Amino acid sequence: MATNVCPYERITMNGEMNARTNNGPTSKAGRSPGNGRTVRRLGRTALFGLVRGIATAAGSGLIAGIIWWMRDH
């Protein structure tokens, strides 16, 4: 049951809100387990941006080539 509650707060069974610290488990390397996922997501976002830029450049070049060919032939 997921609720829309701030991750640093918890609602008890009787409706009281208690603050809690985020001292989650860490791996043997001393990092939190979510860091690898964050790096992966950032990498995918960067790769997506790169592919999108290449596609935009290729499309623009193709359109420019078609326009040039239509005007000069």
Side-chain angles (χ1 to χ4, degrees):
M1 289 193 217
T3 59
N4 292 331
V5 176
C6 178
Y8 299 107
E9 296 176 347
R10 180 173 58 105
I11 299 177
T12 60
M13 294 300 284
N14 60 7
E16 296 174 357
M17 293 184 72
N18 294 329
R20 65 178 178 180
T21 58
N22 189 11
N23 294 332
T26 57
S27 65
K28 291 179 183 177
R31 345 179 275 204
S32 75
N35 286 344
R37 183 174 28 183
T38 302
V39 171
R40 241 187 338 263
R41 289 180 71 189
L42 287 171
R44 287 179 184 165
T45 302
L47 182 62
F48 176 76
L50 180 66
V51 169
R52 186 175 177 187
I54 291 170
T56 301
S60 298
L62 180 65
I63 296 299
I66 290 171
I67 291 172
W68 170 81
W69 186 81
M70 289 174 63
R71 288 183 64 186
D72 288 347
H73 287 95

